[in-house]
Structure formats: structure tokens, C-alpha cells
Amino acid sequence: MEMKKILALTLALCLVLGLAACGAKEDKPAEPAAPAEPATEPATEPATEPTEPAADSEPQPAPDAEGEPAPAPAEGPIKVGVINNDPNESGYRTANDKAMRDTFTAENGYEATFYNNNDAAQQIATAQQMIQDEVDFLLLSPGSTTGWDTVLQDAQAAGTRVILFDRMLEADESLYAAAVVSNMPEEGETAVQWLADQGLEEYNIIHIQGHMGSDAQLGRTGALDEKVNAEDNWNYVTQQTADWDEATARTITQSVIDSGKPFNVIYAENNGMARGAVAALDAAGITHGVDGDVIVMGFDSDKWAFEEVLAGRWNYMGLCNPLQAETVDTIIKDLMAGKEPAEKIIYTPEQGFDAATLTQADVDMYGT
């Protein structure tokens, strides 16, 4: 009896404890569920490793339809900007401009832009535009010897090589690759020495100048100025610019004729101006040339002017060679191949011609 009571109490106690445990479990708040795992995870390592190019490898052309590499693109034309003077300025300039245009062609491997103007300010503005257009070479016949420093410095900074042709300018030689030009001071010295050798008792000179400030004008004027200043029997009747213009030269000469001042030398800085002066002499009935009253002197390379000297109607012509284009072309091709010019300044071959010694062979060889 006593044992039954103990068992009953034990069972009742277990039942109470069990119910208490269940109640405690239901009152406990639910914990948040763990975040869901992604359906797929990135692979720890890719199935295949990408092939990286070697550090020093060059990009290869895409293969063509046959599976062979496509050929590399052909090298493009050489871009040149050519700044020259007005081809209507003189026969010399016409020949010079034609030679440049005949040489710098697409057939010869060039993409060329040409600009012609005697105004240095306009030339400078156009040169700056050509540099901005990223020409490879700037070919320059400057209308003035000064004012080009900024252009040359900008060209150097942009990697544009500058080559002077026909005329020099005042600049440090490091700012241009080469110059293929006439030696204008030497042209003047040769002409003045020839005139001095004529042994006149007195030199009364009509001096007709070219475009003021140009290399040609400075060189041809400089030697004559020096001689006139040094010799008592050398005089200027007039010294004026005709700016290379034939009609203006005729007007200048006619004015001297009308003034009645004596003169015996026409020193014209190009052939066109000499022809204008001679027209005024002819109109006034004044003789000129060999055995004439007036010595006539011109410069450049015009064949018709050579023929005037050969016929004795003029006395002297200083050759100024307009054909620099082939030499410039060779220099550019050498520079593209990594070869610098052997000389920075290359003078074109020139000389003075006297009516007493000029031959038809000279006319045929040097006339343009």
C-alpha cells in the first residue's frame, strides 16, 4: 500500500515537470532563419584559365578568311604643308611654284597642301594652321626674314619638321631641319663686283627694289648700298621698291626720265622689274645694253631674260635658281629613313652672266 503511494507521487511529479517544460518552449520567441544559401556559387577556380599575352608581344593582325594573318596596313602618305610666295610675282616664282607642285604629289607619296601669299603675316597664320593639322613637314619660303620664331618653336614642339626653300630667315638653326636656298648676299656681291668692273667714271643708278624685308631684297640691296656708301662716284638717282611688279618699275623709271636727272645704270632686283624699266627707256628713245647709254641689270632665271642678255639688249643677269624641289624631296625621304642631312644649309648653284660671254648653251641650260 505504502509502495503504491510512492509510485503515484513519482508519476504525478514527472507529469508536472513535463508540462512545465512544454510551456517554457512555446513562450520562447522564434529565432530568425539563417540566410538562404545561393542556388549556385561561383566556382573556386574557372574551368579554364584565360591565356594572357606576353608582356612584350605586339598586337597581331586578325586572320583573314584563309586563316592567315591579314597584312599590316600600308604606311600612309607623307603630309606636307608648302608655303610659298605668289606665283604671279615673277617668272622665277612661277617656275619655283610649278616645281614644288610637280614634286609633292600623291604619286610621289605625298599628301600636300599649298598656300601662296607674299604677305608674311598671312603666311605665319597659315603655317600655324598647318602645324595644328599635324603635317609631317612644313616647307617654307618666307615672305620676310623675321617674325617666324613662334612658328618654328611650335612646329618643333608638335614634331613637325621644317625645311626652308628658296629664301632664308633669321632663326636658330636648331629650329629647322634643313634649308635649300639661294645665297642672296652673294648674288648681290657678284652683281656689284661685275658693275664695278665696268669702270664707269660715274655711276648714277636707278635702283628698283623687290619686296622689302625679303631675303632676296636684303641680299641684292645690301651689297649695292655698301658700295654706294663707300665710293664717291657711286650715286643713287632713286632707290624705290616696285615690290617685284613690272608696271611699277616702269612708272619709277619714267618718273626719273621726266625729272631730267642723268642716269646710266638700271639695277633691278628681278627680271620683270628690269623689263618694266626698259619699256620706259624704249618709250623715251634711250639706248641700253651693249654699246647703249644705260646698263641694264636683272636677276632670276627667266629664259626670255637670258635671251635679252644674249641679244645684247641687257648687260647682266644674276642667276637665281628656282629648282629646289628635288633636293627637298630627297631630304624628306632621307629624314623618313632616319638619315639627317649632311649639311644644314644647302645653296643652289648660281652665277652671274655677262652679255659679252653668255652663250646659247647657257640659255638652254639655265633658262626656265
Side-chain angles (χ1 to χ4, degrees):
M1 185 67 179
E2 199 62 40
M3 181 61 67
K4 288 181 179 180
K5 288 181 179 181
I6 292 171
L7 287 172
L9 288 172
T10 301
L11 289 171
L13 181 61
C14 289
L15 180 61
V16 170
L17 289 174
L19 290 172
C22 288
K25 186 175 182 180
E26 289 173 359
D27 291 340
K28 184 178 179 180
E31 294 184 1
E37 294 291 335
T40 58
E41 293 186 3
T44 306
E45 293 183 0
T48 57
E49 290 287 329
T51 303
E52 301 217 357
D56 58 352
S57 68
E58 293 290 333
Q60 297 298 312
D64 63 13
E66 299 295 323
E68 296 293 329
E75 188 174 319
I78 302 169
K79 291 182 66 176
V80 297
V82 184
I83 293 183
N84 205 341
N85 294 269
D86 184 354
N88 297 314
E89 157 197 291
S90 62
Y92 169 91
R93 186 61 56 194
T94 301
N96 179 262
D97 182 65
K98 182 178 186 301
M100 298 298 284
R101 290 176 184 271
D102 287 349
T103 299
F104 296 100
T105 62
E107 292 77 12
N108 199 23
Y110 292 98
E111 179 185 330
T113 303
F114 294 87
Y115 179 76
N116 296 82
N117 198 314
N118 286 2
D119 188 304
Q122 295 294 325
Q123 287 186 335
I124 287 169
T126 303
Q128 290 286 17
Q129 183 60 56
M130 288 179 173
I131 293 167
Q132 291 176 27
D133 291 341
E134 299 183 340
V135 295
D136 300 310
F137 293 88
L138 180 63
L139 312 183
L140 179 61
S141 176
S144 174
T145 58
T146 59
W148 290 93
D149 284 354
T150 300
V151 170
L152 299 179
Q153 290 163 3
D154 289 350
Q156 190 172 72
T160 296
R161 304 297 297 272
V162 176
I163 299 176
L164 308 179
F165 69 95
D166 172 43
R167 295 176 178 177
M168 279 298 294
L169 48 69
E170 295 178 15
D172 190 280
E173 288 187 3
S174 66
L175 295 174
Y176 55 87
V180 184
V181 293
S182 296
N183 190 333
M184 301 299 185
E186 187 174 279
E187 284 185 15
E189 291 163 7
T190 301
V192 170
Q193 184 58 56
W194 176 89
L195 185 55
D197 291 344
Q198 304 315 296
L200 304 183
E201 290 185 8
E202 191 170 57
Y203 291 84
N204 296 310
I205 304 165
I206 295 177
H207 180 200
I208 306 175
Q209 297 168 290
H211 184 73
M212 301 303 288
S214 68
D215 190 37
Q217 179 271 314
L218 292 172
R220 295 167 189 171
T221 292
L224 187 58
D225 276 351
E226 185 176 338
K227 189 68 171 176
V228 169
N229 291 332
E231 304 289 346
D232 291 337
N233 63 332
W234 287 60
N235 310 292
Y236 284 134
V237 177
T238 191
Q239 184 184 49
Q240 297 183 52
T241 178
D243 204 23
W244 308 124
D245 182 65
E246 182 174 326
T248 305
R250 178 171 182 168
T251 299
I252 291 169
T253 306
Q254 187 63 52
S255 295
V256 175
I257 294 170
D258 293 343
S259 74
K261 295 177 183 178
F263 63 92
N264 58 358
V265 177
I266 300 287
Y267 183 100
E269 291 183 354
N270 80 351
N271 290 331
M273 295 188 301
R275 181 163 60 184
V278 166
L281 299 181
D282 288 341
I286 299 172
T287 62
H288 51 83
V290 177
D291 298 326
D293 292 332
V294 177
I295 289 174
V296 176
M297 303 175 67
F299 292 87
D300 286 343
S301 63
D302 310 273
K303 191 168 186 177
W304 61 263
F306 267 113
E307 291 168 348
E308 291 296 303
V309 178
L310 185 65
R313 291 186 289 270
W314 294 13
N315 304 79
Y316 176 91
M317 193 180 81
L319 174 65
C320 187
N321 189 339
L323 306 180
Q324 304 106 23
E326 286 189 12
T327 304
V328 174
D329 175 44
T330 299
I331 291 171
I332 289 175
K333 299 292 176 58
D334 284 347
L335 287 170
M336 294 297 290
K339 180 181 177 183
E340 294 289 326
E343 298 175 278
K344 178 71 77 167
I345 301 175
I346 302 166
Y347 290 116
T348 52
E350 296 170 342
Q351 59 185 298
F353 290 94
D354 184 333
T357 57
L358 180 67
T359 67
Q360 185 63 51
D362 292 329
V363 174
D364 294 339
M365 177 176 291
Y366 298 108
T368 59

